[in-house]
């Protein structure tokens, strides 16, 4: 079995698509989930190591790291996908909202990267190939968001950590980010919302998770890209 890839937040949507992709390749994976959707049972049945992790406190993050290290002594890559789309309109306890966004999107990757660096370095030493960290950020890093202020700020913090960790861990570990805009709609999204959102990009499509999978594979297979953010936004910055 190959050295595992860790994917956080793999119970649905992009994280789940990545998990299924790697399992189909015969790649060992460790995934985290907050809610045990049926998809987690399916992933476990296919051989994935599935760890419940809410990342709702420092203690919870520390506990997850202890669990991770009980399952493996090396990692090929970490993909930080766990995320929350909470916003000011839905949560008027602004102080708690800001803390939650920063903890999920910046503090959790920060602590995991530092604590799991030895697992990534072990892979690099055993294979002679650089290990990888990939942060899933967001298009809003580039322009901010008046409706998701705390969310945008936390993703911007993660974008900055991409640069810092790249400088800290090179050349043994490559550290990059992927910054998507619309990838897939939610089932409950209205037709009006879908039509409006599609028009925000030049390409005017719902691209699907394959776009993220291809971007992840590009970064994993590259020997030379580090400290960069890969935009997957359909040219949205030009509209």
């Amino acid at each position: 079995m190959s050295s595992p890839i860790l994917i956080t937040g793999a119970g649905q949507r992009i994280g789940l698509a990545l998990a299924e992709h790697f399992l189909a390749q015969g790649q060992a994976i460790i995934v985290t989930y907050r809610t045990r959707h049926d998809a987690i049972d399916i992933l476990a049945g296919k051989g994935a190591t599935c760890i419940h992790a809410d990342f709702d406190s420092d203690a919870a993050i520390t506990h997850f790291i202890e669990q991770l290290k009980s399952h493996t002594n090396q990692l090929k890559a970490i993909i930080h996908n766990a995320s929350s789309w909470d916003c000011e309109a839905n949560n008027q306890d602004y102080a708690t909202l800001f803390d939650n966004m920063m903890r999920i999107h910046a503090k959790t990757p920060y602590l995991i990267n530092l604590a799991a660096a030895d697992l990534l370095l072990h892979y690099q030493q055993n294979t002679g190939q650089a290990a990888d960290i990939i942060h899933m950020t967001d298009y809003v890093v580039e322009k901010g968001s008046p409706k998701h202020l705390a969310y945008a700020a936390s993703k911007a913090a993660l974008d900055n950590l991409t640069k810092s960790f790249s400088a800290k861990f090179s050349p043994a570990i490559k550290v990059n980010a992927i910054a998507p805009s619309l990838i897939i709609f939610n089932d409950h999204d209205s037709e009006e919302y879908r039509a409006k959102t599609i028009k925000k990009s030049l390409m005017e499509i719902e691209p699907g998770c394959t776009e993220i999978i291809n971007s992840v594979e590009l970064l994993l297979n590259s020997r030379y890209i580090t400290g960069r953010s890969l935009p997957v936004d359909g040219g949205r910055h030009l509209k």
Side-chain angles (χ1 to χ4, degrees):
M1 186 68 75
S2 57
S3 300
I5 292 174
L6 169 64
I7 308 168
T8 65
Q12 57 185 340
R13 296 174 61 78
I14 290 172
L16 177 58
L18 285 166
E20 292 173 335
H21 167 74
F22 286 122
L23 285 174
Q25 291 185 326
Q27 168 66 53
I29 61 170
I30 299 173
V31 303
T32 76
Y33 65 93
R34 182 173 56 182
T35 303
R36 195 171 181 102
H37 300 290
D38 291 343
I40 293 297
D41 293 328
I42 294 172
L43 292 179
K46 293 179 179 179
T49 298
C50 303
I51 301 175
H52 176 261
D54 201 352
F55 303 135
D56 58 351
S57 67
D58 293 354
I61 299 169
T62 299
H63 179 63
F64 163 71
I65 292 166
E66 292 170 351
Q67 289 183 286
L68 172 66
K69 292 190 172 185
S70 74
H71 287 286
T72 187
N73 66 355
Q74 66 179 28
L75 287 171
K76 178 179 180 180
I78 300 173
I79 302 173
H80 289 288
N81 175 72
S83 186
S84 172
W85 185 236
D86 204 357
C87 65
E88 283 73 14
N90 295 333
N91 186 347
Q92 295 183 6
D93 182 352
Y94 300 142
T96 298
L97 172 65
F98 190 85
D99 288 345
N100 287 345
M101 293 295 97
M102 284 294 179
R103 187 187 65 256
I104 296 166
H105 300 139
K107 191 175 190 178
T108 294
Y110 168 79
L111 293 176
I112 291 175
N113 288 351
L114 290 172
D118 58 330
L119 305 184
L120 296 163
L121 290 171
H122 194 189
Y123 170 83
Q124 188 275 333
Q125 292 161 0
N126 286 340
T127 66
Q129 300 175 357
D132 283 271
I133 295 172
I134 298 175
H135 297 146
M136 295 299 300
T137 60
D138 196 288
Y139 165 74
V140 298
V141 166
E142 185 174 327
K143 62 173 294 184
S145 173
K147 294 182 178 180
H148 293 82
L149 285 83
Y151 171 88
S154 64
K155 289 292 189 175
L158 184 57
D159 178 73
N160 189 269
L161 284 173
T162 301
K163 301 174 179 66
S164 298
F165 275 118
S166 176
K168 179 177 178 61
F169 289 153
S170 63
I173 305 169
K174 296 182 280 107
V175 186
N176 292 289
I178 296 174
S181 58
L182 167 69
I183 298 299
I184 51 173
F185 287 113
N186 293 295
D187 292 340
H188 58 75
D189 290 334
S190 68
E191 289 302 319
E192 179 184 4
Y193 173 80
R194 292 173 188 241
K196 180 180 177 181
T197 303
I198 286 286
K199 292 293 184 181
K200 290 182 178 181
S201 75
L202 293 179
M203 301 310 294
E204 297 188 4
I205 61 170
E206 177 190 8
C209 293
T210 299
E211 289 295 324
I212 299 300
I213 292 168
N214 291 343
S215 300
V216 167
E217 287 288 5
L218 170 65
L219 295 175
L220 294 179
N221 290 324
S222 173
R223 299 173 55 209
Y224 205 50
I225 303 173
T226 194
R228 291 295 186 179
S229 179
L230 186 63
V232 186
D233 57 22
R236 185 166 170 175
H237 64 297
L238 296 175
K239 291 205 77 170

